Every structure is written in structure tokens, then in C-alpha cells.
Coordinates of all heavy atoms in Angstrom, one line a residue:
M136 N 0.8 -1.2 0.0 CA 0.0 0.0 0.0 C 0.9 1.3 0.0 O 0.6 2.2 -0.7 CB -0.9 0.0 1.2 CG -1.8 1.1 1.3 SD -3.0 1.1 0.0 CE -4.1 2.4 0.4
L137 N 1.9 1.3 0.8 CA 2.8 2.4 0.9 C 3.5 2.6 -0.5 O 3.7 3.8 -0.9 CB 3.9 2.2 2.0 CG 4.9 3.3 2.2 CD1 4.2 4.6 2.5 CD2 5.9 3.0 3.3
N138 N 4.0 1.5 -1.1 CA 4.6 1.7 -2.4 C 3.6 2.3 -3.4 O 4.1 3.1 -4.3 CB 5.1 0.3 -2.9 CG 6.4 -0.1 -2.2 OD1 7.1 0.7 -1.7 ND2 6.6 -1.4 -2.2
K139 N 2.4 1.9 -3.4 CA 1.4 2.4 -4.3 C 1.2 3.9 -4.1 O 1.2 4.7 -5.0 CB 0.1 1.7 -4.2 CG -0.9 2.1 -5.2 CD -2.2 1.2 -5.0 CE -3.2 1.6 -6.1 NZ -4.4 0.9 -6.0
L140 N 1.2 4.3 -2.8 CA 1.0 5.8 -2.5 C 2.3 6.6 -3.0 O 2.1 7.7 -3.5 CB 0.8 6.0 -1.0 CG -0.6 5.5 -0.5 CD1 -0.6 5.6 1.0 CD2 -1.7 6.3 -1.1
L141 N 3.4 6.0 -2.8 CA 4.7 6.7 -3.3 C 4.7 6.8 -4.8 O 5.1 7.8 -5.3 CB 5.9 5.9 -2.8 CG 6.2 6.0 -1.3 CD1 7.4 5.1 -0.9 CD2 6.4 7.4 -0.8
R142 N 4.2 5.8 -5.5 CA 4.2 5.9 -7.0 C 3.2 6.9 -7.4 O 3.5 7.7 -8.3 CB 3.8 4.5 -7.6 CG 5.0 3.6 -7.6 CD 4.6 2.4 -8.5 NE 3.5 1.7 -7.8 CZ 3.4 0.4 -7.6 NH1 4.3 -0.4 -8.0 NH2 2.4 -0.1 -7.0
I143 N 2.0 7.0 -6.8 CA 1.0 8.0 -7.1 C 1.6 9.4 -6.8 O 1.4 10.3 -7.6 CB -0.3 7.7 -6.3 CG1 -0.9 6.5 -6.8 CG2 -1.2 8.9 -6.4 CD1 -2.1 6.0 -6.0
A144 N 2.3 9.5 -5.7 CA 2.9 10.8 -5.3 C 3.9 11.3 -6.4 O 4.0 12.4 -6.8 CB 3.5 10.8 -3.9
A145 N 4.8 10.3 -6.8 CA 5.8 10.6 -7.8 C 5.2 11.0 -9.1 O 5.6 12.0 -9.8 CB 6.7 9.4 -8.0
I146 N 4.1 10.3 -9.5 CA 3.4 10.7 -10.8 C 2.8 12.1 -10.7 O 2.8 12.9 -11.6 CB 2.3 9.6 -11.1 CG1 3.1 8.3 -11.5 CG2 1.4 10.1 -12.2 CD1 2.1 7.1 -11.6
T147 N 2.2 12.4 -9.5 CA 1.6 13.7 -9.3 C 2.6 14.8 -9.3 O 2.3 15.8 -10.0 CB 0.8 13.7 -7.9 OG1 -0.1 12.6 -7.9 CG2 0.1 15.0 -7.7
V148 N 3.7 14.6 -8.7 CA 4.8 15.6 -8.8 C 5.2 15.8 -10.2 O 5.4 16.9 -10.7 CB 6.0 15.2 -7.9 CG1 7.2 16.1 -8.1 CG2 5.5 15.3 -6.4
T149 N 5.4 14.7 -11.0 CA 5.9 14.8 -12.3 C 4.8 15.6 -13.2 O 5.2 16.5 -14.0 CB 6.1 13.4 -13.0 OG1 7.1 12.8 -12.2 CG2 6.5 13.5 -14.4
L150 N 3.6 15.3 -13.0 CA 2.5 16.0 -13.8 C 2.4 17.5 -13.4 O 2.2 18.3 -14.2 CB 1.2 15.3 -13.5 CG 1.0 13.9 -14.1 CD1 -0.3 13.3 -13.7 CD2 1.2 14.0 -15.7
L151 N 2.6 17.8 -12.1 CA 2.5 19.2 -11.7 C 3.7 20.0 -12.1 O 3.6 21.1 -12.5 CB 2.3 19.2 -10.2 CG 1.0 18.8 -9.6 CD1 1.0 18.8 -8.1 CD2 -0.2 19.6 -10.2
C152 N 4.9 19.4 -12.0 CA 6.1 20.1 -12.3 C 6.6 20.0 -13.7 O 7.3 20.8 -14.3 CB 7.3 19.6 -11.4 SG 6.9 19.9 -9.6
G153 N 6.1 18.9 -14.4 CA 6.5 18.7 -15.8 C 7.9 18.0 -15.9 O 8.6 18.0 -14.9
W154 N 8.2 17.6 -17.1 CA 9.5 17.0 -17.4 C 10.4 18.1 -17.6 O 10.0 19.2 -18.1 CB 9.4 16.1 -18.6 CG 8.6 14.9 -18.4 CD1 7.3 14.6 -18.8 CD2 9.0 13.7 -17.8 NE1 6.9 13.4 -18.4 CE2 7.9 12.8 -17.8 CE3 10.2 13.3 -17.1 CZ2 8.0 11.5 -17.2 CZ3 10.3 12.0 -16.6 CH2 9.2 11.2 -16.7
P155 N 11.7 17.9 -17.4 CA 12.6 19.0 -17.8 C 12.5 19.3 -19.3 O 12.5 18.4 -20.1 CB 14.0 18.4 -17.4 CG 13.7 17.2 -16.6 CD 12.3 16.8 -16.8
S156 N 12.5 20.5 -19.6 CA 12.4 20.9 -21.0 C 13.7 21.3 -21.6 O 14.6 21.7 -20.8 CB 11.4 22.1 -21.2 OG 11.9 23.2 -20.5
P157 N 13.9 21.1 -22.9 CA 15.2 21.5 -23.5 C 15.4 23.0 -23.5 O 14.4 23.7 -23.3 CB 15.1 21.0 -24.9 CG 13.6 20.8 -25.2 CD 13.0 20.5 -23.8
A158 N 16.6 23.5 -23.6 CA 16.8 24.9 -23.6 C 16.1 25.5 -24.8 O 15.9 25.0 -25.9 CB 18.3 25.2 -23.8
A159 N 15.5 26.7 -24.5 CA 14.8 27.4 -25.5 C 15.7 27.8 -26.7 O 16.9 28.2 -26.4 CB 14.1 28.6 -24.9
A160 N 15.2 27.8 -27.9 CA 15.9 28.2 -29.0 C 16.2 29.7 -29.0 O 15.3 30.5 -28.5 CB 15.2 27.9 -30.3
A161 N 17.3 30.2 -29.5 CA 17.6 31.6 -29.5 C 17.4 32.2 -30.8 O 17.6 31.5 -31.8 CB 19.1 31.8 -29.1
T162 N 16.9 33.4 -30.9 CA 16.9 34.2 -32.1 C 17.9 35.3 -32.0 O 17.8 36.1 -31.1 CB 15.5 34.8 -32.3 OG1 14.5 33.7 -32.4 CG2 15.4 35.7 -33.6
R163 N 18.9 35.3 -32.9 CA 19.9 36.3 -32.9 C 19.8 37.2 -34.1 O 19.5 36.7 -35.2 CB 21.3 35.6 -32.9 CG 21.6 34.8 -31.6 CD 22.9 34.0 -31.7 NE 23.2 33.4 -30.5 CZ 22.8 32.1 -30.2 NH1 22.1 31.5 -31.1 NH2 23.1 31.6 -29.1
I164 N 20.0 38.5 -33.8 CA 19.9 39.5 -34.9 C 21.2 40.0 -35.4 O 22.1 40.4 -34.6 CB 19.0 40.6 -34.4 CG1 17.6 40.1 -34.1 CG2 18.9 41.7 -35.5 CD1 16.7 41.1 -33.4
V165 N 21.4 39.9 -36.7 CA 22.6 40.5 -37.3 C 22.2 41.8 -37.9 O 21.3 41.9 -38.7 CB 23.2 39.5 -38.4 CG1 24.4 40.1 -39.1 CG2 23.5 38.2 -37.8
D166 N 23.0 42.9 -37.5 CA 22.7 44.2 -38.1 C 24.0 44.9 -38.4 O 24.8 45.2 -37.5 CB 21.9 45.0 -37.0 CG 21.5 46.4 -37.5 OD1 21.7 46.7 -38.7 OD2 20.8 47.1 -36.7
K167 N 24.2 45.2 -39.6 CA 25.5 45.9 -40.1 C 25.6 47.2 -39.4 O 26.7 47.7 -39.1 CB 25.4 46.1 -41.6 CG 26.7 46.4 -42.2 CD 27.3 45.1 -42.7 CE 28.4 45.4 -43.7 NZ 29.4 44.4 -43.6
A168 N 24.5 47.9 -39.0 CA 24.5 49.2 -38.4 C 24.7 49.1 -36.9 O 24.7 50.1 -36.2 CB 23.2 49.9 -38.7
N169 N 24.7 47.8 -36.3 CA 24.8 47.6 -34.9 C 23.8 48.3 -34.0 O 24.0 48.9 -33.0 CB 26.2 48.0 -34.4 CG 26.6 47.3 -33.2 OD1 26.1 46.2 -32.8 ND2 27.6 47.8 -32.4
G170 N 22.5 48.2 -34.5 CA 21.4 48.9 -33.8 C 21.0 48.1 -32.5 O 21.6 47.1 -32.2
P171 N 20.0 48.6 -31.8 CA 19.6 48.0 -30.5 C 19.2 46.5 -30.7 O 18.6 46.2 -31.7 CB 18.4 48.8 -30.1 CG 18.5 50.1 -30.9 CD 19.2 49.8 -32.1
G172 N 19.6 45.7 -29.8 CA 19.2 44.2 -29.9 C 20.1 43.4 -30.8 O 19.9 42.2 -31.0
T173 N 21.1 44.0 -31.3 CA 22.0 43.3 -32.3 C 22.9 42.3 -31.5 O 23.5 42.6 -30.5 CB 22.9 44.3 -33.0 OG1 22.1 45.2 -33.8 CG2 23.9 43.7 -33.9
F174 N 23.0 41.1 -32.1 CA 23.9 40.1 -31.5 C 25.3 40.3 -32.1 O 26.3 40.2 -31.5 CB 23.4 38.7 -31.9 CG 24.4 37.6 -31.5 CD1 24.6 37.2 -30.2 CD2 25.1 37.0 -32.5 CE1 25.5 36.2 -29.9 CE2 26.1 36.0 -32.2 CZ 26.2 35.6 -30.9
S175 N 25.3 40.6 -33.5 CA 26.6 40.7 -34.2 C 26.4 41.6 -35.4 O 25.3 41.8 -35.9 CB 27.1 39.3 -34.6 OG 28.2 39.4 -35.4
T176 N 27.5 42.1 -35.9 CA 27.5 42.8 -37.2 C 27.8 41.9 -38.3 O 27.8 42.4 -39.5 CB 28.4 44.0 -37.1 OG1 29.7 43.6 -36.8 CG2 27.9 45.0 -36.1
T177 N 28.2 40.7 -38.1 CA 28.5 39.7 -39.1 C 27.6 38.5 -39.0 O 27.3 38.0 -37.9 CB 30.0 39.3 -39.1 OG1 30.2 38.5 -37.9 CG2 30.9 40.5 -39.1
I178 N 27.3 37.9 -40.2 CA 26.5 36.7 -40.2 C 27.3 35.5 -39.7 O 26.8 34.7 -39.0 CB 26.0 36.5 -41.6 CG1 25.1 37.6 -42.1 CG2 25.2 35.1 -41.7 CD1 24.8 37.6 -43.6
Q179 N 28.6 35.5 -40.0 CA 29.4 34.4 -39.6 C 29.5 34.3 -38.1 O 29.4 33.2 -37.5 CB 30.9 34.5 -40.1 CG 31.7 33.3 -39.9 CD 31.1 32.0 -40.6 OE1 30.9 32.0 -41.8 NE2 30.8 31.0 -39.8
A180 N 29.5 35.4 -37.3 CA 29.5 35.3 -35.9 C 28.2 34.7 -35.4 O 28.2 33.9 -34.4 CB 29.7 36.7 -35.3
C181 N 27.1 35.0 -36.0 CA 25.9 34.5 -35.7 C 25.8 32.9 -35.9 O 25.4 32.2 -35.1 CB 24.7 35.2 -36.4 SG 23.1 34.7 -35.9
L182 N 26.4 32.5 -37.1 CA 26.4 31.1 -37.4 C 27.3 30.3 -36.4 O 26.9 29.2 -36.0 CB 26.9 30.9 -38.8 CG 26.1 31.5 -40.0 CD1 26.8 31.2 -41.3 CD2 24.7 31.0 -40.0
N183 N 28.4 30.9 -36.0 CA 29.3 30.3 -35.1 C 28.6 30.0 -33.7 O 29.0 29.1 -33.0 CB 30.6 31.1 -34.9 CG 31.4 31.1 -36.2 OD1 31.2 30.3 -37.1 ND2 32.3 32.0 -36.2
A184 N 27.7 30.9 -33.3 CA 27.1 30.8 -32.0 C 25.8 29.9 -32.0 O 25.3 29.6 -31.0 CB 26.7 32.2 -31.5
M185 N 25.3 29.6 -33.2 CA 24.1 28.8 -33.3 C 24.1 27.4 -32.8 O 25.1 26.7 -32.9 CB 23.6 28.8 -34.8 CG 23.1 30.1 -35.3 SD 22.6 29.9 -37.1 CE 20.9 29.4 -36.8
A186 N 23.0 27.0 -32.1 CA 22.8 25.7 -31.7 C 21.5 25.2 -32.5 O 20.8 26.0 -33.0 CB 22.6 25.6 -30.2
P187 N 21.3 23.8 -32.5 CA 20.1 23.4 -33.2 C 18.8 24.0 -32.6 O 18.7 24.2 -31.4 CB 20.1 21.9 -32.9 CG 21.6 21.5 -32.7 CD 22.2 22.7 -32.1
G188 N 18.0 24.5 -33.5 CA 16.8 25.1 -33.2 C 16.9 26.7 -33.2 O 15.8 27.4 -33.1
D189 N 18.1 27.2 -33.3 CA 18.3 28.7 -33.2 C 17.9 29.3 -34.6 O 17.9 28.6 -35.6 CB 19.7 29.0 -32.9 CG 20.1 28.8 -31.4 OD1 19.1 28.4 -30.7 OD2 21.2 29.0 -31.1
V190 N 17.7 30.6 -34.5 CA 17.3 31.4 -35.7 C 18.3 32.6 -35.8 O 18.5 33.3 -34.8 CB 15.9 31.9 -35.7 CG1 15.6 32.8 -36.9 CG2 14.9 30.8 -35.6
C191 N 18.8 32.8 -36.9 CA 19.7 34.0 -37.2 C 18.9 34.9 -38.2 O 18.7 34.5 -39.3 CB 21.0 33.5 -37.8 SG 22.1 34.8 -38.2
Q192 N 18.5 36.1 -37.7 CA 17.8 37.0 -38.6 C 18.7 38.1 -39.0 O 19.4 38.7 -38.2 CB 16.6 37.6 -37.8 CG 15.5 36.6 -37.6 CD 14.2 37.2 -37.0 OE1 14.3 38.2 -36.3 NE2 13.1 36.6 -37.3
V193 N 18.8 38.4 -40.3 CA 19.7 39.4 -40.9 C 19.0 40.6 -41.3 O 18.0 40.5 -42.1 CB 20.5 38.7 -42.0 CG1 21.6 39.7 -42.5 CG2 21.1 37.4 -41.6
K194 N 19.4 41.8 -40.9 CA 18.8 43.0 -41.3 C 19.5 43.6 -42.5 O 20.5 43.0 -43.0 CB 19.0 44.1 -40.1 CG 18.0 43.7 -38.9 CD 18.0 44.9 -37.9 CE 17.0 44.7 -36.9 NZ 16.9 45.8 -36.0
N195 N 18.9 44.7 -43.1 CA 19.4 45.3 -44.3 C 20.9 45.6 -44.2 O 21.5 45.9 -43.2 CB 18.7 46.6 -44.6 CG 17.3 46.4 -45.1 OD1 17.0 45.4 -45.6 ND2 16.4 47.3 -44.8
G196 N 21.5 45.5 -45.4 CA 22.9 45.8 -45.5 C 23.6 44.8 -46.5 O 22.9 43.8 -46.9
T197 N 24.8 45.2 -47.0 CA 25.5 44.3 -47.8 C 26.6 43.6 -47.0 O 27.4 44.3 -46.4 CB 26.1 45.0 -49.0 OG1 25.1 45.6 -49.8 CG2 26.9 44.1 -49.9
Y198 N 26.6 42.3 -46.9 CA 27.5 41.5 -46.1 C 28.5 40.9 -47.0 O 28.2 40.0 -47.7 CB 26.7 40.5 -45.2 CG 25.7 41.2 -44.3 CD1 24.4 41.6 -44.7 CD2 26.1 41.4 -43.0 CE1 23.6 42.2 -43.8 CE2 25.2 42.1 -42.1 CZ 24.0 42.4 -42.5 OH 23.1 43.1 -41.6
N199 N 29.7 41.4 -46.9 CA 30.8 40.8 -47.7 C 31.5 39.7 -47.0 O 32.5 39.8 -46.3 CB 31.9 41.9 -48.0 CG 31.2 43.2 -48.6 OD1 31.0 44.1 -47.8 ND2 31.0 43.2 -49.8
E200 N 30.8 38.5 -47.0 CA 31.2 37.4 -46.2 C 31.1 36.1 -47.1 O 30.2 35.9 -47.8 CB 30.4 37.2 -45.0 CG 30.3 38.4 -44.0 CD 29.5 38.1 -42.8 OE1 29.7 37.1 -42.1 OE2 28.6 38.9 -42.6
M201 N 32.1 35.2 -46.9 CA 31.9 33.8 -47.3 C 31.5 33.0 -46.1 O 32.3 33.0 -45.1 CB 33.3 33.3 -47.9 CG 33.6 34.1 -49.2 SD 35.2 33.5 -49.9 CE 34.7 31.8 -50.4
L202 N 30.4 32.4 -46.1 CA 29.8 31.8 -44.9 C 30.1 30.3 -44.8 O 30.0 29.6 -45.8 CB 28.3 32.1 -44.9 CG 27.9 33.6 -44.9 CD1 26.4 33.7 -45.0 CD2 28.4 34.3 -43.7
T203 N 30.3 29.9 -43.6 CA 30.5 28.5 -43.3 C 29.7 28.1 -42.1 O 29.8 28.7 -41.1 CB 32.0 28.2 -43.0 OG1 32.8 28.6 -44.1 CG2 32.3 26.7 -42.8
L204 N 28.9 27.1 -42.3 CA 28.1 26.6 -41.2 C 28.7 25.2 -40.8 O 28.5 24.2 -41.6 CB 26.6 26.4 -41.6 CG 25.6 26.0 -40.6 CD1 25.6 26.9 -39.4 CD2 24.2 25.9 -41.1
N205 N 29.4 25.2 -39.7 CA 30.2 24.0 -39.4 C 29.3 22.9 -38.8 O 29.7 21.7 -39.0 CB 31.2 24.4 -38.3 CG 32.3 25.3 -38.9 OD1 32.6 25.2 -40.1 ND2 32.7 26.3 -38.1
V206 N 28.3 23.2 -38.1 CA 27.4 22.1 -37.5 C 26.0 22.4 -37.9 O 25.5 23.5 -37.7 CB 27.6 22.1 -36.0 CG1 26.8 21.0 -35.3 CG2 29.1 21.9 -35.6
G207 N 25.3 21.3 -38.4 CA 23.9 21.5 -38.7 C 23.0 21.3 -37.5 O 23.4 21.0 -36.4
G208 N 21.7 21.5 -37.8 CA 20.7 21.2 -36.8 C 20.3 19.7 -36.8 O 21.1 18.9 -37.3
T209 N 19.1 19.5 -36.4 CA 18.6 18.1 -36.5 C 17.3 18.2 -37.3 O 16.8 19.3 -37.7 CB 18.2 17.6 -35.1 OG1 17.2 18.4 -34.5 CG2 19.5 17.7 -34.2
S210 N 16.7 17.0 -37.6 CA 15.5 17.0 -38.3 C 14.3 17.7 -37.6 O 13.4 18.2 -38.2 CB 15.1 15.6 -38.7 OG 14.8 14.9 -37.5
V211 N 14.4 17.8 -36.3 CA 13.4 18.4 -35.5 C 13.8 19.9 -35.1 O 12.9 20.8 -35.1 CB 13.1 17.6 -34.2 CG1 12.1 18.3 -33.3 CG2 12.6 16.2 -34.6
N212 N 15.0 20.1 -34.9 CA 15.5 21.4 -34.5 C 16.5 22.0 -35.5 O 17.7 21.9 -35.4 CB 16.2 21.3 -33.1 CG 15.3 21.0 -32.0 OD1 14.3 21.7 -31.9 ND2 15.5 20.0 -31.2
R213 N 16.0 22.5 -36.6 CA 16.8 23.0 -37.6 C 17.4 24.4 -37.3 O 16.9 25.1 -36.5 CB 15.9 23.2 -38.9 CG 15.5 21.9 -39.5 CD 14.6 22.2 -40.7 NE 14.3 20.9 -41.4 CZ 13.3 20.1 -41.1 NH1 12.5 20.4 -40.1 NH2 13.1 19.0 -41.8
K214 N 18.6 24.7 -37.9 CA 19.2 26.0 -37.8 C 18.6 26.8 -38.9 O 18.6 26.4 -40.1 CB 20.7 25.9 -37.9 CG 21.3 25.3 -36.7 CD 22.8 25.3 -36.9 CE 23.5 24.8 -35.6 NZ 25.0 24.8 -35.8
T215 N 18.1 28.0 -38.6 CA 17.4 28.8 -39.6 C 18.2 30.1 -39.8 O 18.4 30.8 -38.8 CB 16.0 29.1 -39.2 OG1 15.3 27.8 -39.0 CG2 15.2 29.9 -40.3
I216 N 18.5 30.5 -41.0 CA 19.0 31.8 -41.4 C 18.0 32.5 -42.3 O 17.6 31.9 -43.3 CB 20.4 31.6 -42.1 CG1 21.3 30.8 -41.3 CG2 21.0 33.0 -42.4 CD1 22.5 30.2 -42.1
E217 N 17.5 33.6 -41.8 CA 16.5 34.3 -42.6 C 16.6 35.8 -42.5 O 17.4 36.3 -41.6 CB 15.1 33.9 -42.1 CG 14.9 34.3 -40.6 CD 13.6 33.7 -40.0 OE1 13.0 32.8 -40.6 OE2 13.1 34.3 -39.0
N218 N 16.0 36.5 -43.4 CA 16.0 38.0 -43.3 C 15.1 38.4 -42.1 O 14.1 37.7 -41.8 CB 15.5 38.6 -44.6 CG 14.1 38.3 -44.9 OD1 13.7 37.1 -45.1 ND2 13.2 39.3 -45.0
F219 N 15.5 39.5 -41.5 CA 14.7 40.1 -40.4 C 13.4 40.6 -41.1 O 13.4 41.1 -42.2 CB 15.5 41.3 -39.8 CG 14.8 41.8 -38.6 CD1 15.0 41.3 -37.3 CD2 14.0 43.0 -38.7 CE1 14.5 41.8 -36.2 CE2 13.4 43.5 -37.5 CZ 13.7 42.9 -36.3
P220 N 12.2 40.4 -40.5 CA 11.0 40.8 -41.1 C 11.0 42.2 -41.7 O 11.4 43.2 -41.0 CB 9.9 40.7 -40.0 CG 10.5 39.7 -39.1 CD 12.0 39.9 -39.1
G221 N 10.7 42.4 -43.0 CA 10.7 43.7 -43.7 C 12.0 44.1 -44.2 O 12.2 45.2 -44.8
H222 N 13.0 43.2 -44.1 CA 14.4 43.6 -44.5 C 14.8 42.7 -45.7 O 14.3 41.6 -45.9 CB 15.4 43.4 -43.4 CG 15.3 44.5 -42.4 ND1 16.3 45.4 -42.1 CD2 14.3 44.8 -41.5 CE1 15.9 46.2 -41.1 NE2 14.7 45.9 -40.8
S223 N 15.7 43.2 -46.5 CA 16.3 42.5 -47.7 C 17.8 42.6 -47.7 O 18.4 43.3 -48.5 CB 15.7 43.0 -49.0 OG 14.3 42.9 -49.0
P224 N 18.5 41.8 -46.9 CA 19.9 41.9 -46.8 C 20.5 41.3 -48.1 O 19.9 40.5 -48.8 CB 20.3 41.1 -45.6 CG 19.2 40.2 -45.4 CD 18.0 40.9 -45.9
I225 N 21.8 41.6 -48.4 CA 22.5 41.1 -49.5 C 23.8 40.4 -49.0 O 24.6 41.1 -48.2 CB 22.9 42.2 -50.5 CG1 21.6 42.8 -51.1 CG2 23.8 41.6 -51.6 CD1 21.9 44.1 -51.8
V226 N 24.0 39.2 -49.4 CA 25.3 38.5 -49.1 C 26.0 38.3 -50.4 O 25.5 37.6 -51.3 CB 25.0 37.1 -48.4 CG1 26.4 36.4 -48.1 CG2 24.2 37.3 -47.1
D227 N 27.1 39.0 -50.6 CA 27.8 39.0 -51.9 C 28.9 37.9 -52.0 O 29.4 37.6 -53.1 CB 28.3 40.4 -52.3 CG 29.5 40.8 -51.6 OD1 30.1 40.1 -50.8 OD2 29.9 42.0 -51.8
G228 N 29.3 37.3 -50.9 CA 30.2 36.2 -50.9 C 31.6 36.5 -51.3 O 32.4 35.6 -51.6
T229 N 32.0 37.8 -51.2 CA 33.4 38.2 -51.6 C 34.4 38.0 -50.4 O 35.6 38.0 -50.6 CB 33.5 39.6 -52.1 OG1 33.1 40.5 -51.1 CG2 32.7 39.8 -53.4
G230 N 33.8 37.9 -49.2 CA 34.6 37.6 -48.0 C 35.8 38.3 -47.9 O 36.8 38.1 -47.3

């Protein structure tokens, strides 16, 4: 009887507290002008800091960079590189 009560208590605590969740994905902003909230002024620095599930948003500007993404995401937690909403950045690849 005591074992059954302990199992019920453990299940109740798990349901109330939840399972440990994975770290939240980060959204990093790249801004050539280094405005508020900027993570970096280069896309490569953003790529180097990314973990699976992270998003790198790039603001307007011409980025003279040859980009390398050393580690990919997973099928569930992809790494995403996208323009910041309303922006149209240019990557010319001249590095």
C-alpha cells in the first residue's frame, strides 16, 4: 500500500512540475548598423554561435562574407538563417 502511494505521489509531482524541457531556441539578430538588440554585425559570428533550433535574422545591408556553417541542426531542431521581417539583406560572398 505504501509503495502504491509513493508511486502516485511521484506521478503527481511529475505531472504538476513537468518533465525538464530542453533549452529554448535563441533568435539572434545580425545588423550591419549595430542597432539595438544586435547580436553581431557579421552573419558568420551568428552562425558560429548557433545551436540546433536557433534562428539567425539578418537586417538590411551588404554583407561581404563567405559563410561556413560548421554544424547542422537536427530534423526536428533546424538551424534557420532568414531575413529580419521587412528587410532584404545582400550576401555577396566576396569575404
